[in-house]
Amino acid sequence: LAIPSGGSIRAADEVVELVDERGEEDLLQVLISGGASAMLCSPVKESGLEDTIELTERMLTAGMSIQNMNIVRAHLDRVKGGRLAVVAAPASVLTLALSDVVGDKLPAIGGGPTVADPSRYKDAITSMKKVQIWDEIPASVREYLDAGQRGEIPESPKPGDARLSRAFAAVVGGPRTLLRAAARSARTMGLRVRCATKPIEGPVEDLVEKYMARAGSMVRSGTGREVFVAVGEPTVQIAHDMIKKGKVGKGGRSQHLSLLMAQAMAGDEHMAFLSAGTDGTDGP
């Protein structure tokens, strides 16, 4: 669920109204998980919903990481980037987050509506120029971010901001939790488990080469009862001319990776591969 809708804005308006009524003696408990960035959306009036949707689609098809996408979102939204906690002040805010991002960084989970945002307008601009979509996103977004970089629009709340002095947050589960659970499940099946020492990231094409090299090594040296478990965030970039021609297919990163692995493994009966997405839309 990566694309916001009118329902996302209505939900954000209701949440803001509820939060704004809290007083100094209140404790606001915020529970956040994957999908919150799209489900809780309140675009600045300069961009609006339609341009926000177009921007989101551009970032997704460019293969941007969720961290960089949320840096952009934090500077174009009235609740993300710590702004919801500012609305809640002077109430105390306790955020418990289920992480769906590599590194479990709180500002990147759900757009970080209740935590300080260390990024700046220039970082949002740089992240889009890096994937070469800056000149293709809606003009309203470019103009707003440029104005922010010039200091004409206030920055999002930063670490140390007094307005967030009563806001506390913790990650209660995430990719590493999933890694341990998968490894534990495999061991109960009598399998020897090897776990990746760090998250797997990069274009799906590169990951196929790495996984096949790992699998080949395990087949040659193992007992046939081994499994390699990893978590991470593969990326898929879709050519802009395909987007313009409407030739973007169904599916997502996990399905794309699985199909490429199926091709690479064709004819080898010693290997099996599973790629599972923890959130979002990943095809039929």
Side-chain angles (χ1 to χ4, degrees):
L1 187 62
I3 308 296
S5 65
S8 308
I9 294 178
R10 290 191 294 273
D13 289 344
E14 291 184 18
V15 168
V16 168
E17 183 178 355
L18 173 68
V19 167
D20 195 32
E21 296 173 354
R22 302 308 98 193
E24 188 173 358
E25 301 301 318
D26 290 323
L27 169 63
L28 177 68
Q29 189 172 40
V30 181
L31 309 178
I32 295 181
S33 63
S37 296
M39 295 175 70
L40 193 69
C41 178
S42 182
V44 294
K45 66 179 185 299
E46 287 83 355
S47 60
L49 179 59
E50 289 188 7
D51 284 354
T52 298
I53 291 174
E54 183 179 344
L55 168 67
T56 304
E57 291 174 341
R58 283 288 182 185
M59 293 193 294
L60 285 169
T61 54
M64 281 183 71
S65 68
I66 189 64
Q67 288 91 339
N68 285 338
M69 286 184 65
N70 277 330
I71 286 174
V72 175
R73 288 164 166 165
H75 292 87
L76 293 163
D77 197 280
R78 293 177 290 186
V79 296
K80 295 179 174 62
R83 293 180 179 85
L84 186 63
V86 172
V87 175
S92 296
V93 180
L94 174 62
T95 300
L96 302 178
L98 282 174
S99 171
D100 62 338
V101 299
V102 172
D104 297 340
K105 299 296 184 181
L106 282 161
I109 304 173
T114 56
V115 298
D117 172 35
S119 69
R120 297 187 176 277
Y121 283 103
K122 66 177 182 180
D123 299 317
I125 294 172
T126 298
S127 66
M128 287 189 284
K129 287 184 176 180
K130 185 177 180 180
V131 293
Q132 301 178 347
I133 62 171
W134 175 250
D135 294 328
E136 300 173 0
I137 62 174
S140 64
V141 173
R142 293 199 305 271
E143 292 168 3
Y144 188 85
L145 293 177
D146 276 334
Q149 184 174 227
R150 292 193 300 268
E152 298 170 11
I153 303 172
E155 266 288 359
S156 51
K158 301 295 177 241
D161 193 307
R163 297 171 296 176
L164 303 182
S165 62
R166 302 185 68 187
F168 310 91
V171 175
V172 295
R176 300 301 298 182
T177 311
L178 297 171
L179 182 74
R180 290 192 295 268
R184 185 167 57 248
S185 178
R187 291 189 182 101
T188 63
M189 300 168 64
L191 299 173
R192 180 184 175 188
V193 179
R194 301 183 187 184
C195 291
T197 56
K198 59 182 180 180
I200 305 294
E201 298 180 272
V204 288
E205 295 81 3
D206 294 346
L207 297 190
V208 170
E209 293 184 13
K210 293 178 181 179
Y211 280 134
M212 287 303 295
R214 164 72 71 166
S217 175
M218 292 172 66
V219 168
R220 289 190 299 271
S221 62
T223 62
R225 298 284 296 171
E226 293 180 300
V227 60
F228 177 66
V229 182
V231 294
E233 185 180 54
T235 55
V236 174
Q237 185 168 1
I238 302 174
H240 295 323
D241 59 337
M242 292 178 63
I243 299 171
K244 292 177 181 178
K245 294 176 182 177
K247 293 184 177 181
V248 179
K250 296 181 179 180
R253 296 170 294 185
S254 283
Q255 193 170 53
H256 196 137
L257 176 59
S258 295
L259 290 170
L260 290 179
M261 282 295 296
Q263 289 180 326
M265 293 163 49
D268 194 323
E269 299 179 356
H270 300 289
M271 303 179 190
F273 182 81
L274 167 67
S275 179
T278 58
D279 72 337
T281 300
D282 204 4

